[in-house]
Amino acid sequence: MKRYQRSHITVSQTVGRRGVITPLAAMVLLVVLAGISLVVNRLWLDAASLEVTTCIETAVLAAGQELAADDLLKEKPNYQTLMERAEKAANRAIILNTVAGHRIGIPLVKDENLFFGKSIPVADTGINKFLQTDHQPMSIQLKTHQMSRLNNPVADFVSEFTSTNPGTTGAQIEATIDNHIIGVRPFANVSVPAFPLAILKNDPSGKHTETWELQIDQKKGKDEYRYNPDTKTVTRGSDGIPEILLTGKPRRGNISDANLQLLDFGSLHNSESVERQILSGLTKQDLKHYHGELIFNTGPIQVNCSPELEDNELDAFQKMTGQCRICFLYDKVESSSRSHTGLADCTNMVAGRIMSIKRLENQTSEIILQPGVMTTRTGILAKGKPPETDSPSASNSKTKTDDDQQRKNKYIYKLYLTQ
């Protein structure tokens, strides 16, 4: 009897499942890629937004520096010129910075994305509100909207299928200049832009006529020099701002014969230390004896001083010709046991730039200094200062207005971001 073997034909299920797994894997891969794309896009936007903010902050701070200019010392400051300079400075600054490796090609135009005005505190909330005005502007606001995607690959891909711009970034930044300055305080790595130089404020005895009060405040000084902010150079010629002639102690004179004093801010009159301070400013270490700051709203600050300038110190001042720096005013000096040193009562701060230096035969020197206007991050603002306002009714009395004017320093402004 013949037996027949039954053969079983096994059909592999792998072939059947392949048609299901392949599209499933593709869908999973698509989801993973989409997730990665979202992460990449988020990271790109975060990095780009930070770079955009930094770029805009640089531009608005550069514009703020131009608002605080020497023109404010003239009888009738031309604010239109100051705003034009500020606009140019903002455009120069924004071109120098890049976002995602590309320069921002957005022109900054007044009243379009660059606005001038004042930062006014709201009484109910205490939060500052920007008020746009061309009348003595003290604040600058810069707005950017719908900027280009700046080489964002995810946004470029998505925008091909949508009408939106998911990869755009923008910013709104505001900076303010404020001259309610009562002192200065250096940071860890930021020096106070000041000369260790004090100028005689007034002389009730009438011995000195070259005082800040007579020559600058009462405008009796000569006007023979001018500073060009575009070329950063000093030239001969009138510019409407008077100068003061500063003279050191003559050979056989005494400390009261000079109308300038070199101040001992931790230098101990060491010539190298004084030279460094002239060129680089005052550090936190220099002001260690004064608790790291100089504040003038509680009375005079007594500082050791000397009316004599060494050759290398004069050379350092010569190198700083044309650069605006903080100087100090003193109204009284007492001679010490040594004829070439003393103690000066410094009462306030001003700012100025050296226009000319001359060495005389009697071992003294002459410095022609013109007052200037400058900004510094190291300025200390008065607390509880009155708010800026354009409304006459906001001031209850003439006394309050006069007090506010006295609290303002017409030469030194603090520049800071307010939004």
Side-chain angles (χ1 to χ4, degrees):
M1 182 176 180
K2 294 183 179 179
R3 296 178 179 270
Y4 294 95
Q5 296 180 348
R6 294 182 181 179
S7 59
H8 296 277
I9 301 174
T10 302
V11 180
S12 176
Q13 295 181 1
T14 305
V15 178
R17 289 197 300 267
R18 186 178 300 165
V20 177
I21 293 176
T22 301
L24 183 60
M27 292 177 62
V28 172
L29 181 61
L30 182 61
V31 172
V32 172
L33 290 176
I36 294 175
S37 299
L38 291 175
V39 173
V40 171
N41 187 54
R42 182 69 266 171
L43 292 175
W44 186 96
L45 283 177
D46 289 343
S49 296
L50 179 60
E51 291 182 349
V52 167
T53 301
T54 302
C55 183
I56 301 303
E57 287 178 352
T58 303
V60 76
L61 289 173
Q65 289 181 337
E66 295 299 325
L67 275 189
D70 293 357
D71 294 52
L72 297 178
L73 300 178
K74 298 179 180 179
E75 291 292 338
K76 295 182 179 179
N78 189 332
Y79 287 97
Q80 185 61 39
T81 300
L82 294 180
M83 288 186 288
E84 290 175 358
R85 291 178 184 170
E87 181 180 329
K88 291 179 180 178
N91 279 284
R92 286 195 301 267
I94 205 169
I95 289 175
L96 294 176
N97 289 273
T98 60
V99 176
H102 291 254
R103 298 190 185 279
I104 297 182
I106 298 178
L108 302 178
V109 182
K110 181 178 178 291
D111 296 333
E112 291 186 11
N113 51 12
L114 185 66
F115 305 92
F116 295 88
K118 296 181 179 180
S119 184
I120 309 297
V122 179
D124 296 336
T125 63
I127 301 175
N128 285 5
K129 177 183 178 181
F130 181 79
L131 175 65
Q132 185 178 354
T133 176
D134 288 352
H135 175 65
Q136 299 181 2
M138 301 288 285
S139 298
I140 301 172
Q141 188 180 81
L142 202 160
K143 294 182 180 180
T144 59
H145 296 290
Q146 296 298 316
M147 297 171 57
S148 63
R149 288 185 297 272
L150 297 172
N151 207 27
N152 181 354
V154 178
D156 287 337
F157 177 79
V158 175
S159 64
E160 294 294 331
F161 301 94
T162 67
S163 59
T164 60
N165 290 315
T168 59
T169 56
Q172 176 176 310
I173 305 294
E174 179 185 315
T176 296
I177 57 172
D178 192 334
N179 63 344
H180 290 85
I181 300 291
I182 61 172
V184 287
R185 180 189 299 122
F187 305 149
N189 298 312
V190 180
S191 301
V192 175
F195 289 144
L197 176 68
I199 302 167
L200 184 61
K201 180 181 179 181
N202 52 49
D203 183 11
S205 68
K207 176 181 178 180
H208 284 287
T209 58
E210 290 288 340
T211 64
W212 190 270
E213 184 177 290
L214 288 175
Q215 303 300 312
I216 305 302
D217 291 341
Q218 298 184 26
K219 299 185 182 299
K220 294 183 178 181
K222 296 181 180 179
D223 182 12
E224 298 179 340
Y225 292 86
R226 63 189 309 164
Y227 175 74
N228 189 324
D230 297 324
T231 61
K232 312 295 183 185
T233 56
V234 174
T235 57
R236 283 275 189 172
S238 174
D239 61 358
I241 303 175
E243 297 99 29
I244 182 172
L245 177 64
L246 306 178
T247 307
K249 184 182 79 68
R251 181 183 304 170
R252 291 183 173 83
N254 56 56
I255 193 170
S256 62
D257 291 332
N259 67 340
L260 68 81
Q261 302 292 330
L262 273 181
L263 300 177
D264 174 17
F265 289 122
S267 66
L268 300 178
H269 299 299
N270 178 276
S271 191
E272 291 183 1
S273 298
V274 174
E275 181 181 1
R276 174 187 58 79
Q277 293 177 354
I278 293 171
L279 297 175
S280 304
L282 304 177
T283 65
K284 202 168 185 178
Q285 182 64 29
D286 294 331
L287 302 182
K288 182 179 179 180
H289 181 69
Y290 302 93
H291 306 289
E293 60 186 16
L294 298 172
I295 299 181
F296 293 90
N297 65 335
T298 57
I301 299 177
Q302 291 190 328
V303 187
N304 290 324
C305 63
S306 172
E308 296 181 346
L309 280 73
E310 302 292 340
D311 287 341
N312 61 330
E313 296 165 352
L314 282 173
D315 291 339
F317 278 124
Q318 186 77 53
K319 292 177 183 178
M320 299 297 289
T321 298
Q323 298 192 39
C324 195
R325 289 293 183 269
I326 294 173
C327 302
F328 304 90
L329 297 181
Y330 73 97
D331 57 7
K332 185 174 64 174
V333 61
E334 296 178 1
S335 179
S336 66
S337 56
R338 295 183 297 175
S339 60
H340 64 282
T341 61
L343 195 64
D345 284 354
C346 296
T347 59
N348 205 349
M349 304 179 300
V350 293
R353 58 182 90 249
I354 292 174
M355 314 301 275
S356 175
I357 291 181
K358 183 186 299 183
R359 291 178 173 86
L360 304 180
E361 294 181 356
N362 60 352
Q363 292 184 345
T364 186
S365 55
E366 291 183 347
I367 297 177
I368 296 178
L369 184 137
Q370 184 184 80
V373 177
M374 63 177 293
T375 63
T376 175
R377 295 163 51 198
T378 63
I380 301 175
L381 294 175
K383 295 181 180 180
K385 63 184 181 60
E388 293 284 351
T389 177
D390 287 332
S391 173
S393 61
S395 179
N396 296 327
S397 66
K398 184 177 182 298
T399 303
K400 288 187 177 181
T401 303
D402 293 340
D403 290 343
D404 182 35
Q405 291 299 325
Q406 291 178 1
R407 296 170 71 178
K408 289 184 178 181
N409 190 312
K410 62 191 295 187
Y411 308 102
I412 307 169
Y413 290 76
K414 185 179 179 69
L415 173 63
Y416 58 99
L417 295 172
T418 48
Q419 189 182 77

